[in-house]
Amino acid sequence: MDSIIELVPDFKGKIWGGRRLETEFGYEIPAGPVGECWAISAHENGDDVIASGAYAGKTLSWLWAEHRELFGNCEGDVFPLLVKIIDADDDLSIQVHPDDAYAGEHENGSLGKKECWYVLSAEEGGTIVVGQNASSREEFAQMVEEGRWDELLNVIPIHTGDFFQIDPGCVHAIKGGTVILETQQSSDVTYRVYDYDRPGDDGQLRPLHLAQSLDVIDYGMAAPESGAVTAPEVDGVTTLVTTDCYTVERLSVAGELTFPTPYPFTCVSVIEGEGTVNGKPVKKGSHLLALSACDALELTGTMTVITSHL
């Protein structure tokens, strides 16, 4: 059994999506606006198929259920992480995600949704919404009712290479002209606060979830001023974030780099350049899943790679 597997991404049409997954990454995507590439996913709404090897044609959720030893006998009902590329040609809705406790109780036992964004590209002068300025549920509800979005939302400039940790309870929105790599808990629970009164594919307004949003917003959360990465790079490795759900690193490969992976699994996404990972040729848009038998990633070439693991 190969210690590294490749998955077939699952693509999602979205009213706010574009075509950059095709033009910038070379993926074969469906017609129309495509907003998301679920690159490493075992979620029921986008369960990736294994591309080659002994388990070719099986899904990642099947491998997790049937061969937990390949994941170091990691515990949990579901494969815990989900890695996406998001192409926002237009603004996404203003939204918030629940934590594990709220989602478990109100969303059929689902995980909550802690996520983080690495900005792959952003338009000149682009902005993003991370955080909000109301100090209480009542104040938030009143500002929404009065349409005081400019006061309510924390809007900050965005640049290629920025990084944002989005905890449950954080109001957020990706704006048009932005492409991000998202690492998140394996959850598809999103509460829409506001959607610009725009119709969906069926001509109807998409549903909002203000009651749930008011329940889960963290009114004491400090809003960031910038997404600039300040963590040091050590031997080509920058640790972008460590949370109770995942650690995410950026690897800058110029020649050769060895990255130890003593984890049940490691998600690997090439976001720039090309080279090899443990002898496998990779390029921008390649995604691999290193299983527990993989002790280290041996990377060669000139490329930037984002990794994530428990």
Side-chain angles (χ1 to χ4, degrees):
M1 172 63 193
D2 214 338
S3 64
I4 298 183
I5 57 174
E6 198 161 356
L7 300 163
V8 179
D10 188 63
F11 298 98
K12 306 291 185 190
K14 299 284 184 181
I15 59 172
W16 43 259
R19 301 297 299 173
R20 282 176 294 202
L21 290 168
E22 178 180 59
T23 57
E24 289 187 20
F25 292 89
Y27 297 127
E28 287 185 30
I29 61 175
V34 175
E36 297 183 350
C37 163
W38 290 31
I40 301 175
S41 169
H43 194 280
E44 60 184 5
N45 293 349
D47 197 357
D48 289 350
V49 171
I50 298 165
S52 60
Y55 300 113
K58 300 286 192 185
T59 62
L60 181 54
S61 69
W62 177 89
L63 195 67
W64 176 261
E66 298 297 324
H67 289 283
R68 194 64 64 88
E69 74 280 1
L70 298 176
F71 303 89
N73 292 313
C74 193
E75 292 182 3
D77 295 339
V78 294
F79 181 76
L81 299 186
L82 201 170
V83 177
K84 296 177 184 174
I85 298 175
I86 296 179
D87 171 16
D89 202 52
D90 196 2
D91 295 353
L92 273 70
S93 61
I94 294 160
Q95 53 188 241
V96 64
H97 303 303
D99 62 13
D100 289 345
Y102 190 93
E105 184 178 344
H106 298 275
E107 301 292 343
N108 300 319
S110 169
L111 290 173
K113 194 169 173 187
K114 182 172 287 195
E115 64 188 28
C116 60
W117 302 335
Y118 187 87
V119 181
L120 301 178
S121 62
E123 286 180 357
E124 191 72 32
T127 60
I128 199 162
V129 175
V130 182
Q132 57 82 39
N133 299 313
S135 57
S136 68
R137 181 188 182 111
E138 294 71 30
E139 185 181 14
F140 190 96
Q142 184 177 352
M143 291 174 86
V144 168
E145 194 173 333
E146 294 169 2
R148 290 156 57 196
W149 298 107
D150 290 347
E151 289 175 68
L152 178 59
L153 301 175
N154 187 60
V155 180
I156 47 184
I158 185 177
H159 312 90
T160 300
D162 280 358
F163 181 80
F164 299 92
Q165 170 59 34
I166 309 292
D167 285 331
C170 176
V171 174
H172 61 275
I174 300 167
K175 310 268 281 248
T178 308
V179 181
I180 69 166
L181 183 89
E182 178 173 278
T183 304
Q184 58 160 91
Q185 287 181 275
S186 185
S187 170
D188 203 21
V189 180
T190 294
Y191 297 143
R192 282 191 209 106
V193 179
Y194 182 57
D195 198 33
Y196 318 104
D197 301 319
R198 63 181 166 189
D201 293 330
D202 58 0
Q204 304 295 311
L205 295 181
R206 297 198 296 173
L208 300 180
H209 315 95
L210 189 58
Q212 295 97 320
S213 299
L214 291 170
D215 280 350
V216 304
I217 290 168
D218 181 346
Y219 300 100
M221 184 183 289
E225 296 174 16
S226 159
V229 174
T230 56
E233 182 179 303
V234 181
D235 298 332
V237 179
T238 305
T239 300
L240 297 170
V241 74
T242 294
T243 73
D244 58 341
C245 296
Y246 48 71
T247 292
V248 180
E249 294 102 354
R250 179 181 63 199
L251 313 183
S252 300
V253 183
E256 296 183 358
L257 190 155
T258 298
F259 180 67
T261 50
Y263 312 112
F265 63 86
T266 306
C267 303
V268 182
S269 299
V270 181
I271 60 168
E272 202 58 62
E274 58 186 322
T276 67
V277 176
N278 295 32
K280 289 180 184 285
V282 294
K283 61 184 194 304
K284 178 179 177 177
S286 295
H287 303 271
L288 302 171
L289 182 61
L291 303 171
S292 63
C294 179
D295 296 325
L297 301 176
E298 302 287 349
L299 306 111
T300 70
T302 303
M303 56 184 179
T304 306
V305 176
I306 301 291
T307 57
S308 55
H309 49 83
L310 298 179

